[in-house]
C-alpha cells in the first residue's frame, strides 16, 4: 500500500513520477540508463563534481550527497517532491573497509535516508545489499527465504542495516546480490594479472551475477507485484573458486594461481588463519526469486557471462586499432 501523498510542496524541477538512485556507481549508472529508456526522470546521487558531470552527460539529474552527512540531504529536494518516487539505495561496498565505516554507512546512513524519504511519496524502495549476510560455511544451499546467519561483525552490521531499511514501511525491500561482475569488472582478473596466490578454501563456492541481470531484477522488483521483502540476485550456478580461477586464467592466457594453505597464508602473508577457516561457503539458489518476480538471468553462469564480456572487449580493441 502506498503512503499518503507528501505534504512537501512540489519543487519546480520535479516530475510527476521519478526514480532516485542513491549511490549512482557501477550498478546505478546501468540501472539509470534502463530507467531513462523507459521514459522516467532519474536522479542520481554522487559525492563529487566530476562524477556529477558524468551523470549529467548520461541524462541523469545529479545530486551531491554524502550519505552519512545530514546537512547534504537538502540536495534531494527535487527528487523528494515528485508526485511518486521509486528509490534505489546502493550501498557502496568500496567504502565499507572496516567495521567503523560499515557501521556509519549501514546504520547511520540508512537512518538518514529513511528519515529524508518521509518527505516523499515513495512507491517502492529497494536497498541493494550483499549475499555476505549468509555466513554458511558448509556449501549449504541458500535462497531468498533462508535465514541470514552472518559470519563476522561486518556482515552482522550489514544485516542490521537491512532490518532498519525494512522498518521504513511495506514498500521497502532488500535485494541481496552475489558477486557482481560485468564489462570493466571481472572478478579475480587483477589478482591473476598480479600472479597472486589463491588463499582460503579452493573448493569453496563462488556465487556471481552479471550486472545486466542485476539491473533486470531491480526493475522486476519495482515494476511487478510479486516480489518479497527480501530477494536474492545470483545466476544460480555457483562454481568452485579454483575451477573459476583456472578457467579465467586459461581464457586470458595467464598462469593458474598457486593454492596456498591456511597456515602458509598466515605465516607468509600475515593472514588470519582462523578467519580463513571460517570463510563463507554457500551455494546461492535463485529459484524462489525467479518464481516470485518472473525474472530470469540472461547470463546463466560465469562462462556465458565472461565470454560475452571478453568477446565484446576483443571486438572493441580491434575497432580501436582500425580492424574489422
Amino acid at each position: 500500500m502506498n503512503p499518503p501523498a507528501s505534504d512537501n510542496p512540489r519543487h519546480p524541477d520535479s516530475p510527476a513520477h521519478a526514480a532516485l538512485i542513491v549511490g549512482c556507481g557501477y550498478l546505478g549508472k546501468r540501472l539509470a540508463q534502463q530507467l531513462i529508456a523507459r521514459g522516467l526522470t532519474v536522479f542520481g546521487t554522487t559525492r563529487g563534481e566530476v562524477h556529477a558531470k558524468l551523470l549529467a552527460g548520461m541524462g541523469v539529474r545529479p545530486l551531491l550527497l554524502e550519505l552519512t552527512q545530514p546537512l547534504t540531504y537538502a540536495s534531494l529536494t527535487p527528487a523528494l517532491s515528485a508526485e511518486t518516487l521509486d528509490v534505489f539505495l546502493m550501498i557502496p561496498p568500496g567504502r565499507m573497509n572496516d567495521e567503523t565505516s560499515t557501521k556509519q554507512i549501514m546504520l547511520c546512513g540508512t537512518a538518514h535516508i529513511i528519515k529524508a524519504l518521509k518527505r516523499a511519496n515513495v512507491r517502492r524502495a529497494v536497498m541493494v545489499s550483499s549475499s555476505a549476510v549468509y555466513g554458511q560455511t558448509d556449501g549449504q544451499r541458500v535462497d531468498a527465504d533462508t535465514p541470514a546467519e552472518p559470519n563476522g561483525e561486518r556482515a552482522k552490521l550489514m544485516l542490521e542495516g537491512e532490518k532498519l531499511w525494512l522498518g521504513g514501511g511495506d514498500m521497502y525491500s532488500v535485494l541481496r546480490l552475489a558477486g557482481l561482475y560485468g564489462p570493466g569488472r571481472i572478478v579475480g582478473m587483477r589478482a591473476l594479472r598480479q600472479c597472486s596466490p589463491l588463499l582460503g578454501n579452493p573448493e569453496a563456492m563462488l556465487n556471481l551475477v552479471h550486472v545486466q541481470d542485476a539491473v533486470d531484477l531491480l526493475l522486476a522488483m519495482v515494476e511487478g507485484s510479486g516480489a518479497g521483502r527480501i530477494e536474492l540476485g545470483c545466476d544460480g550456478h555457483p562454481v568452485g573458486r579454483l575451477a573459476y580461477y583456472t578457467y579465467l586464467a586459461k581464457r586470458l592466457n595467464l598462469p593458474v594461481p598457486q593454492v596456498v594453505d591456511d597456515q602458509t597464508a598466515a605465516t607468509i602473508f600475515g593472514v588470519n588463519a582462523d578467519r580463513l577457516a571460517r570463510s563463507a561457503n554457500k551455494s546461492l539458489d535463485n529459484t524462489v526469486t525467479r518464481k516470485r518476480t518472473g525474472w530470469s538471468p540472461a547470463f546463466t553462469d560465469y562462462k556465458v557471462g565472461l565470454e560475452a564480456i571478453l568477446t565484446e572487449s576483443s571486438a572493441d580493441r580491434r575497432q580501436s586499432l582500425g580492424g574489422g
Side-chain angles (χ1 to χ4, degrees):
M1 183 175 68
N2 287 339
S6 171
D7 293 332
N8 222 30
R10 277 192 70 192
H11 188 278
D13 293 332
S14 289
H17 180 64
L20 169 63
I21 301 173
V22 181
C24 204
Y26 182 74
L27 174 59
K29 286 186 289 188
R30 287 160 176 79
L31 173 63
Q33 290 174 325
Q34 295 294 315
L35 293 169
I36 291 170
R38 283 165 158 73
L40 270 72
T41 297
V42 178
F43 296 90
T45 76
T46 182
R47 300 166 64 202
E49 294 282 357
V50 174
H51 194 230
K53 291 180 181 179
L54 189 153
L55 293 178
M58 295 173 49
V60 176
R61 296 191 187 183
L63 306 172
L64 292 176
L65 175 76
E66 173 57 64
L67 197 62
T68 59
Q69 300 298 321
L71 292 179
T72 66
Y73 278 73
S75 68
L76 298 182
T77 299
L80 300 182
S81 54
E83 287 187 7
T84 56
L85 185 69
D86 288 331
V87 182
F88 303 90
L89 174 59
M90 310 288 190
I91 298 299
R95 294 174 55 202
M96 298 195 299
N97 51 17
D98 56 41
E99 289 177 18
T100 300
S101 60
T102 303
K103 186 172 184 179
Q104 285 292 313
I105 292 169
M106 287 300 301
L107 302 185
C108 298
T110 299
H112 292 325
I113 193 68
I114 291 174
K115 182 178 179 180
L117 291 176
K118 292 185 183 298
R119 298 161 44 200
N121 184 22
V122 177
R123 187 182 71 148
R124 294 297 301 271
V126 184
M127 169 190 276
V128 177
S129 184
S130 169
S131 61
V133 298
Y134 300 109
Q136 285 82 350
T137 60
D138 57 359
Q140 178 182 340
R141 173 187 168 277
V142 170
D143 62 31
D145 290 340
T146 302
E149 300 176 1
N151 186 1
E153 288 304 312
R154 186 171 176 270
K156 289 178 182 177
L157 287 169
M158 293 175 68
L159 184 59
E160 285 186 45
E162 289 185 5
K163 291 177 179 177
L164 186 62
W165 180 256
L166 292 171
D170 292 343
M171 72 291 295
Y172 285 69
S173 58
V174 170
L175 172 58
R176 294 168 177 164
L177 288 180
L180 190 68
Y181 75 104
R185 183 171 172 171
I186 294 179
V187 174
M189 178 179 280
R190 179 181 298 180
L192 285 175
R193 286 178 171 167
Q194 293 175 344
C195 296
S196 301
L198 187 61
L199 309 181
N201 179 6
E203 304 305 322
M205 304 310 294
L206 181 62
N207 297 275
L208 300 169
V209 63
H210 191 283
V211 64
Q212 185 55 56
D213 287 328
V215 167
D216 292 342
L217 179 50
L218 283 167
L219 293 173
M221 289 178 68
V222 298
E223 293 175 353
S225 58
R229 299 296 302 282
I230 296 175
E231 294 297 356
L232 177 60
C234 61
D235 62 23
H237 288 86
V239 57
R241 294 174 66 234
L242 181 58
Y244 171 84
Y245 279 92
T246 299
Y247 177 86
L248 182 59
K250 292 180 177 179
R251 182 64 176 78
L252 298 174
N253 295 316
L254 294 171
V256 175
Q258 177 187 0
V259 176
V260 176
D261 63 76
D262 294 355
Q263 192 56 53
T264 302
T267 302
I268 298 178
F269 300 104
V271 178
N272 187 309
D274 291 335
R275 181 174 295 180
L276 282 178
R278 296 196 309 269
S279 295
N281 176 20
K282 66 263 185 179
S283 298
L284 300 185
D285 185 338
N286 59 24
T287 302
V288 170
T289 290
R290 289 193 351 255
K291 287 181 178 179
R292 285 199 292 237
T293 64
W295 165 84
S296 184
F299 300 92
T300 51
D301 62 36
Y302 72 101
K303 291 183 179 180
V304 175
L306 289 177
E307 285 306 309
I309 296 166
L310 295 173
T311 300
E312 181 180 357
S313 178
S314 296
D316 289 343
R317 283 197 299 271
R318 289 197 301 270
Q319 187 173 7
S320 67
L321 294 173

